[in-house]
Amino acid sequence: MMKKLIAGNWKMNGSLAANDALVRALLGGLGTAACDVAVAVPAPYLAQVQALATGTPLQLAAQDVSQHESGAYTGEWSAAMLREFGVRYTLVGHSERRQYHGESDAVVAAKAQRALAAGITPIVCVGETLAQREAGDTESVVRRQLAAVIHVNGHCISEVVVAYEPVWAIGTGRTATPEQAQQVHDVLRAQLAAASPHAAKIRLLYGGSMNAGNAAQLLEQPDIDGGLVGGASLKAADFLQIIAAAQ
Ligand code: 13P
């Protein structure tokens, strides 16, 4: 069976003191986790968390990466820079980036390509809004978002992780049911299978109000290979329970 991945997305939360306490508590409870565990931390704290996590099972992730290689792009950071801090994964196309920063499917695809070129695994986020779901467009929206990434990344597509995060489930406490999530994951898996002979090994994460109470049921679905966890990743006890549910 595929090794699951539980990734925490801290979003724009944390401080030196809070991060230190959170990471130490996680490391204290992780043991030898049977799944991969990562935290996507705000860029200013990458060095801090790298120092705490090096040599431990806790892997480092970024929340975003530039679509450009280097140069006059104020406020951005490159995949090569992330690499220098031991970053293993980076989110690309999180719905908050798409919504508040106008990231298009093409930009998200280019970011995934930059990450892959630097040896960083992009966690490509896709997901529909509530209006899109209610209009019956869920499948076409996630397929369009993923198609852009497949188109640009070609045979490298088996190296990505995909996260299905329905926008209406993010930070709302309203989780997709395991059946709703599985249904979309099945669509994504089929789309990947049409593009790559290795689709069965591509990890598909679910994200959106995943918590200690609902993680096990979601993670036992056949095409849910892990979780992308926002709010609950900021509390060590909750995040550790989600990790335990993935083993
Ligand atoms: P919540 O778990 O807080 O709903 O956030 C999900 C998310 O956006 C993870 O990237």
Side-chain angles (χ1 to χ4, degrees):
M1 210 172 91
M2 186 166 6
K3 203 173 184 188
K4 286 191 166 40
L5 167 63
I6 302 295
N9 175 10
W10 291 359
K11 307 194 179 185
M12 199 173 73
N13 294 291
S15 66
L16 288 172
N19 304 344
D20 189 81
L22 176 55
V23 171
R24 285 180 197 281
L26 286 179
L27 294 177
L30 259 188
T32 48
C35 63
D36 287 329
V37 180
V39 282
V41 312
Y45 297 128
L46 285 170
Q48 180 200 15
V49 179
Q50 181 192 26
L52 288 165
T54 298
T56 79
L58 186 65
Q59 300 177 333
L60 192 55
Q63 295 177 11
D64 190 25
V65 67
S66 175
Q67 66 182 300
H68 305 288
E69 191 169 0
S70 65
Y73 301 102
T74 301
E76 304 233 326
W77 51 85
S78 71
M81 293 171 188
L82 294 180
R83 195 67 214 159
E84 288 200 295
F85 288 90
V87 168
R88 297 278 295 270
Y89 308 90
T90 183
L91 307 185
V92 297
H94 191 281
S95 63
E96 289 149 17
R97 302 289 317 170
R98 293 179 190 262
Q99 190 179 349
Y100 305 133
H101 302 272
E103 289 190 10
S104 65
D105 294 339
V107 166
V108 174
K111 288 182 171 197
Q113 190 176 31
R114 285 287 174 212
L116 286 169
I120 293 171
T121 301
I123 300 178
V124 177
C125 304
V126 300
E128 82 287 4
T129 63
L130 185 58
Q132 289 166 333
R133 172 162 284 265
E134 287 175 346
D137 292 338
T138 298
E139 207 173 299
S140 63
V141 168
V142 298
R143 285 179 59 87
R144 188 202 72 223
Q145 291 171 333
L146 184 57
V149 177
I150 292 173
H151 177 70
V152 168
N153 291 280
H155 63 273
C156 292
I157 198 65
S158 62
E159 304 303 319
V160 311
V161 171
V162 178
Y164 169 55
E165 296 206 308
V167 177
W168 48 271
I170 294 176
T172 58
R174 186 177 163 193
T175 319
T177 65
E179 295 72 28
Q180 281 174 322
Q182 167 58 30
Q183 199 175 7
V184 176
H185 282 226
D186 184 54
V187 166
L188 297 172
R189 181 85 67 199
Q191 188 179 2
L192 291 164
S196 165
H198 308 296
K201 79 172 186 72
I202 300 174
R203 289 190 286 196
L204 305 182
L205 315 185
Y206 168 78
S209 298
M210 187 181 263
N211 59 41
N214 60 28
Q217 268 192 308
L218 286 159
L219 292 168
E220 73 190 13
Q221 299 301 309
D223 288 297
I224 300 188
D225 311 309
L228 182 53
V229 185
S233 74
L234 296 171
K235 295 184 192 129
D238 291 19
F239 196 50
L240 286 168
Q241 273 185 273
I242 296 170
I243 293 162
Q247 333 236 349

